[in-house]
Amino acid sequence: MLKTANLGYPRIGENRELKKATESYWKGEIPKEALLETGRQIRKKNWLAQKSAGMDFIPSNDFSFYDQMLDLTALVGAVPARYGWKGGAVDLDTYFAMARGSKSVPAMEMTKWFDTNYHYLVPEFSKGMRFSPASEKPFAEFKEARALGVSTRPVIIGPVTYLLMGKSKDAKFSRWELLDGLLKVYVSILKKFESIGAGDIQIDEPALVLDLDAKAKAALKKTYALFAKEAPGARVWLTTYFGALGEHLKLAAALPVHGIHIDLVRAPGQLAAALRAVPKNKILSLGVVDGRNIWKTDLKRAVSFLKNAVRKRGADACVIASSCSLIHSPMDLDLETSLDGELKNWLSFAKQKLAEIKMIQKALSGEKSAAAGFQKNESAIRGRQKSPRIHKKSVAARLRAVKPKDSRRQSPFKVRQEIQGERLGLEFFPTTTIGSFPQTADVRQARAGFKKGDLSADAYCEFLREKTADAIRRQEDIGLDVLVHGEFERNDMVEYFGEQLDGFAFTKNGWVQSYGTRCVKPPVIYGDVERPRPMTVEWTAYAQSLTKKPVKGMLTGPITILQWSFVRDDQPRSQTARQIALAIRDEVRDLEKQGTAVIQIDEPAIREGLPLRRKEWAGYLKWAVESFKLASSGVSDQTQIHTHMCYSEFNDIIGSIAAMDADVISIETSRSQMELLDAFVKFRYPNEIGPGVYDIHSPRVATVEEMKNLLTKAARVLPPRNLWVNPDCGLKTRGWEETTLSLKAMVEAARALRAEFQNRKNGSGGGTAPKGKPKARVLI
């Protein structure tokens, strides 16, 4: 019998209940039991929804209060010593301290999960560290589902992926030295699953789609041979996703596991090779429904694609599944009551993807009951292909007219640096922030009131003016050198721009988890992109009219907009990126025309777009860098272009970052204690750089001395003239009290270090200050 499987389900709740409960717990507004109960209710709804949809394999342990890698760190007792854990079960407060930090210790480092916009907490490894079982979570949740009448397949990240995704600061230490100790804990986990009746266990090893060295391959062989020997009753499902197994297919096929899952959305070409390589005594799980995008699956095409595979292997040896966990997809399209009907008919969220999996399974099993669903699906697919909303002749003509010189600044950086220095007149170690300021409850309430029609456009605009003016006053009082307007009119750094660009659509409830309680509502890019009117000029001009200090124009770059959106799948991503770049280029030039001296184009997502295999990097980086330069190069030498990147490893793409030719780049470095700066030092990065000196994701206020120490580290290895001082990231999620204390400490640290250097620039600073207030038209 042909079966169905889902690899993971969104855990934030239909109305982001988990986010709200967790943040209330952090604030002391609700007790721990209330938070735990919220988790139980979300899990219950998820399991019952999947059972109702007809899934044969339903995951448990895919729920997390923050991050599944952090859950695993707790499960195997890999808690860093600074959190004071003395053994036993890892309690919830220690768990959250690792995630967020506390008043006394910083959080663990966070970075992107493979090439997604999901962030995970990076495990920390050291020589001689020991592992021990320290959590009952996966077993308790299996029992919890069973009590509801739902049989689940527990999911756990595999040990090889766990070790590969972690880090050690000791270059002489090999992470593989820890494998034997880690495997002892994994074996105990498998045996415990067996003892409580969990026969099938999903072990995720997405590392198999990466470039692997001989030690990693040997670790995979050793791991699964040991599992087969020590826990022979466990039916292990080796689960891969996000790409092709490629040269690792033979290795994976030979491992002693019950079943193997392959991603046929990101790598449909691997099916034929998998049919040849995977023995028929192993079940092949076919990930044909996209877990990472929101377009309807072409059911007719999917059935045609899989029909031969099911026939060759037999229905009992195949499973129809999602390509990866559905945590990267919004929960339920049915919640979108105001989305226009034509566009909504093209989409599919997590709940609908379960139905697609089931319909494919029914069709391949010869059941007639899926016929009506297939007809509706085919009508939607064909309707999208023929819709006049998709293509614009004007956009195509402009792309054809782009010339190489459009992606080059007028002069080399050294020339620009002198010209910009004369204009801005900043001292050494100039201070600034990354862009956003706290979006407090009154800001969110005003935005919600405006959207509901309870607050007029004029009243909302006046409210935003007051918030912007207050932010300018606060920054001047703190003593920052380059200011920002605070972005109070913006809901999200991508959504705000997408709402003003043609070719974008927006959902009301299409939330996905980015990290912890941070949820985003990605725009839907369904057609050609074009900017019909200026997007940020009025608010930037208004903020500049309030101060003599320069105010940065704040934009999101084309690659980040692309990466953090649900992107159309009917043309190459590179073409969509160039369309966005031209729209941002128009905005950059309009900001310059109204006198903005400093323009920041954020690209935090440029690295996450890298293909997972190194051989494919060059092609991506070529069009990604070209897109950024197309967006940023239409200005004169005196306009200073900044960019910002966060939570990325830069070593392997530093050449491409330099090729972007931004005058200033700010990066996240505080959690890594400036370790991420090493790539820029070794490369001798020529332009200016602002290494983040405090972690904005932690409520802890770093001391002046801590920040000064980090700056001193940077000043020892980079030219002081090229250094800026800034937080790690935007301050949207923080409160004003901690923000003010942190920024005052940051400015004091910069001034202290500045005093140690005598070669200051000449000039008094100050940019142009265009007068006037934004009109009542509100850009949200």
Side-chain angles (χ1 to χ4, degrees):
M1 176 182 174
L2 185 62
K3 292 186 176 181
T4 55
N6 176 38
L7 306 187
Y9 206 66
R11 57 210 183 199
I12 59 177
E14 289 183 351
N15 297 298
R16 293 179 293 158
E17 294 92 339
L18 185 62
K19 168 189 172 66
K20 296 167 187 175
T22 304
E23 291 178 352
S24 293
Y25 174 71
W26 291 342
K27 294 174 184 176
E29 297 172 350
I30 64 171
K32 179 171 70 173
E33 182 51 43
L35 173 60
L36 297 178
E37 178 60 24
T38 298
R40 281 191 287 269
Q41 291 302 316
I42 291 171
R43 292 192 294 270
K44 178 180 178 179
K45 288 180 180 179
N46 286 356
W47 287 326
L48 293 178
Q50 292 172 83
K51 182 178 180 180
S52 177
M55 295 299 100
D56 295 303
F57 294 105
I58 298 170
S60 59
N61 198 44
D62 56 331
F63 174 86
S64 176
F65 280 108
Y66 204 95
D67 165 51
Q68 66 266 24
M69 281 287 275
L70 183 61
D71 291 350
L72 183 52
T73 290
L75 177 62
V76 301
V79 180
R82 65 182 177 275
Y83 298 105
W85 179 65
K86 302 299 183 183
V90 175
D91 63 276
L92 194 60
D93 290 338
T94 299
Y95 176 88
F96 283 136
M98 290 191 285
R100 306 174 64 235
S102 68
K103 291 183 179 180
S104 58
V105 292
M108 293 174 70
E109 189 175 338
M110 185 164 62
T111 194
K112 301 293 178 69
W113 180 244
F114 289 76
D115 59 350
T116 73
N117 186 35
Y118 178 82
H119 302 66
Y120 75 97
L121 277 298
V122 181
E124 299 176 14
F125 303 134
S126 58
K127 190 175 182 64
M129 72 180 292
R130 296 184 178 183
F131 302 96
S132 61
S135 172
E136 288 293 309
K137 176 185 179 297
F139 317 113
E141 290 181 7
F142 174 81
K143 294 175 183 178
E144 187 181 316
R146 185 168 59 190
L148 294 168
V150 182
S151 177
T152 62
R153 180 174 68 178
V155 54
I156 185 171
I157 294 165
V160 175
T161 295
Y162 182 69
L163 287 174
L164 281 172
M165 295 297 106
K167 67 182 300 181
S168 169
K169 293 184 178 180
D170 184 353
K172 298 179 180 179
F173 162 70
S174 170
R175 66 192 70 211
W176 302 118
E177 294 175 25
L178 303 177
L179 181 63
D180 288 345
L182 182 61
L183 290 183
K184 289 180 181 178
V185 177
Y186 267 82
V187 167
S188 72
I189 291 168
L190 293 179
K191 288 182 175 180
K192 187 158 187 175
F193 274 134
E194 284 187 76
S195 72
I196 63 174
D200 295 284
I201 301 164
Q202 176 184 320
I203 301 185
D204 288 2
E205 289 283 13
L208 272 161
V209 306
L210 302 176
D211 296 317
L212 298 178
D213 61 19
K215 290 182 179 179
K217 295 175 187 178
L220 283 160
K221 292 177 183 178
K222 181 176 186 176
T223 293
Y224 290 92
L226 183 68
F227 290 172
K229 177 183 177 183
E230 298 295 331
R235 294 188 294 273
V236 171
W237 295 76
L238 180 71
T239 305
T240 69
Y241 39 78
F242 299 154
L245 285 163
E247 71 275 18
H248 309 320
L249 175 58
K250 185 177 179 181
L251 165 63
L255 296 177
V257 294
H258 181 70
I260 297 175
H261 175 84
I262 57 174
D263 185 338
L264 295 175
V265 174
R266 297 294 292 272
Q270 67 178 328
L271 178 58
L275 291 174
R276 292 191 298 269
V278 178
K280 289 189 177 181
N281 66 342
K282 291 187 174 88
I283 299 176
L284 191 58
S285 177
L286 306 167
V288 73
V289 171
D290 194 349
R292 290 182 57 174
N293 214 329
I294 43 76
W295 304 106
K296 265 187 167 69
T297 302
D298 186 333
L299 299 180
K300 184 177 179 181
R301 183 178 178 184
V303 169
S304 176
F305 177 60
L306 296 178
K307 187 178 293 184
N308 184 55
V310 174
R311 181 185 59 80
K312 278 188 173 182
R313 294 186 65 82
D316 291 344
C318 295
V319 170
I320 307 303
S322 55
S323 63
C324 62
S325 170
L326 299 181
I327 66 165
H328 308 289
S329 173
M331 287 204 69
D332 185 2
L333 188 62
D334 293 340
L335 300 174
E336 300 299 326
T337 56
S338 58
L339 197 62
D340 86 74
E342 182 183 32
L343 180 60
K344 185 175 179 179
N345 197 37
W346 299 344
L347 306 182
S348 176
F349 291 0
K351 179 182 174 182
Q352 289 70 38
K353 290 177 186 296
L354 298 178
E356 290 178 342
I357 293 168
K358 188 63 180 176
M359 282 193 284
I360 293 169
Q361 180 259 338
K362 284 183 175 182
L364 288 168
S365 300
E367 296 185 30
K368 303 296 184 183
S369 59
F374 268 71
Q375 289 176 359
K376 289 181 180 179
N377 177 268
E378 185 172 7
S379 176
I381 298 296
R382 301 298 167 253
R384 181 184 168 209
Q385 291 172 345
K386 296 177 181 179
S387 174
R389 302 171 65 177
I390 305 298
H391 301 289
K392 282 191 169 188
K393 291 182 180 179
S394 59
V395 175
R398 191 175 179 195
L399 277 176
R400 288 194 299 269
V402 170
K403 296 178 174 57
K405 67 180 181 63
D406 295 328
S407 300
R408 292 194 297 266
R409 295 293 296 273
Q410 294 175 0
S411 302
F413 168 71
K414 287 297 182 184
V415 174
R416 303 197 306 267
Q417 187 178 37
E418 295 300 325
I419 295 171
Q420 293 162 15
E422 288 287 333
R423 182 183 187 185
L424 296 171
L426 301 172
E427 296 183 277
F428 274 23
F429 309 111
T431 56
T432 189
T433 63
I434 302 304
S436 60
F437 272 115
Q439 296 233 341
T440 48
D442 60 334
V443 175
R444 296 192 297 272
Q445 289 166 4
R447 182 183 301 125
F450 174 73
K451 289 190 173 183
K452 291 176 182 177
D454 298 335
L455 191 65
S456 70
D458 285 343
Y460 184 45
C461 195
E462 185 58 35
F463 170 83
L464 293 175
R465 289 188 194 114
E466 292 172 1
K467 285 294 177 182
T468 302
D470 179 62
I472 294 295
R473 285 193 297 269
R474 288 175 185 264
Q475 291 172 86
E476 289 188 321
D477 290 344
I478 290 167
L480 291 166
D481 298 307
V482 176
L483 314 186
V484 296
H485 77 287
E487 303 181 15
F488 301 105
E489 78 285 6
R490 304 184 189 184
N491 42 9
D492 175 83
M493 66 182 290
V494 172
E495 184 175 355
Y496 177 77
F497 291 95
E499 285 179 334
Q500 300 179 76
L501 294 170
D502 290 344
F504 282 75
F506 292 85
T507 63
K508 295 290 185 183
N509 294 285
W511 298 100
V512 293
Q513 185 183 26
S514 177
Y515 62 84
T517 61
R518 170 69 169 155
C519 300
V520 294
K521 194 150 48 74
V524 177
I525 305 178
Y526 67 86
D528 286 345
V529 177
E530 196 170 36
R531 187 197 74 147
R533 66 186 67 86
M535 301 179 286
T536 67
V537 174
E538 289 178 290
W539 285 109
T540 306
Y542 173 60
Q544 185 64 81
S545 74
L546 303 173
T547 180
K548 291 184 178 181
K549 290 188 175 184
V551 175
K552 287 193 284 190
M554 298 300 305
L555 305 174
T556 302
I559 302 304
T560 297
I561 291 177
L562 182 85
Q563 286 296 128
W564 292 1
S565 298
F566 291 121
V567 183
R568 57 190 291 190
D569 56 0
D570 62 338
Q571 70 178 18
R573 291 172 69 88
S574 58
Q575 187 169 331
T576 303
R578 290 187 181 99
Q579 291 178 358
I580 302 170
L582 288 173
I584 300 300
R585 179 185 180 92
D586 292 342
E587 189 71 13
V588 169
R589 296 181 76 171
D590 281 346
L591 282 168
E592 182 184 53
K593 285 177 186 176
Q594 69 87 30
T596 304
V598 182
I599 302 171
Q600 183 169 309
I601 308 173
D602 289 341
E603 283 291 19
I606 199 162
R607 194 190 189 285
E608 78 186 44
L610 277 173
L612 297 176
R613 295 302 186 103
R614 191 174 288 268
K615 64 183 180 182
E616 299 169 6
W617 284 14
Y620 161 76
L621 288 169
K622 181 178 179 181
W623 62 257
V625 170
E626 191 266 341
S627 294
F628 177 84
K629 294 175 74 175
L630 184 60
S632 63
S633 296
V635 294
S636 69
D637 288 344
Q638 69 173 352
T639 298
Q640 190 174 74
I641 297 293
H642 288 223
T643 191
H644 172 66
M645 297 181 184
C646 55
Y647 301 113
S648 293
E649 296 286 348
F650 302 112
N651 300 60
D652 39 18
I653 62 165
I654 187 65
S656 295
I657 292 174
M660 291 167 67
D661 199 25
D663 297 302
V664 182
I665 181 173
S666 56
I667 61 170
E668 178 276 326
T669 52
S670 69
R671 284 196 181 195
S672 68
Q673 294 294 298
M674 291 287 168
E675 182 180 312
L676 291 178
L677 196 61
D678 291 349
F680 293 83
V681 175
K682 292 175 183 176
F683 183 78
R684 297 189 177 183
Y685 185 75
N687 299 17
E688 296 179 17
I689 184 167
V693 295
Y694 77 88
D695 177 18
I696 67 92
H697 297 288
S698 172
R700 178 176 177 269
V701 176
T703 66
V704 173
E705 193 63 26
E706 287 172 329
M707 295 191 208
K708 185 172 179 287
N709 288 342
L710 289 177
L711 282 172
T712 301
K713 280 186 181 181
R716 286 181 186 141
V717 293
L718 289 171
R721 179 186 184 184
N722 286 6
L723 280 172
W724 285 65
V725 182
N726 46 258
D728 271 343
C729 203
L731 300 165
K732 174 181 177 180
T733 61
R734 305 265 50 101
W736 270 116
E737 181 180 1
E738 64 191 273
T739 293
T740 302
L741 290 172
S742 295
L743 291 179
K744 283 183 175 179
M746 185 185 82
V747 169
E748 187 176 340
R751 288 173 175 171
L753 195 60
R754 192 179 292 161
E756 298 176 9
F757 292 83
Q758 299 302 315
N759 297 324
R760 299 183 179 183
K761 296 179 181 178
N762 294 322
S764 59
T768 55
K771 303 295 181 183
K773 296 181 180 181
K775 300 173 184 176
R777 180 172 64 83
V778 181
L779 305 178
I780 65 167

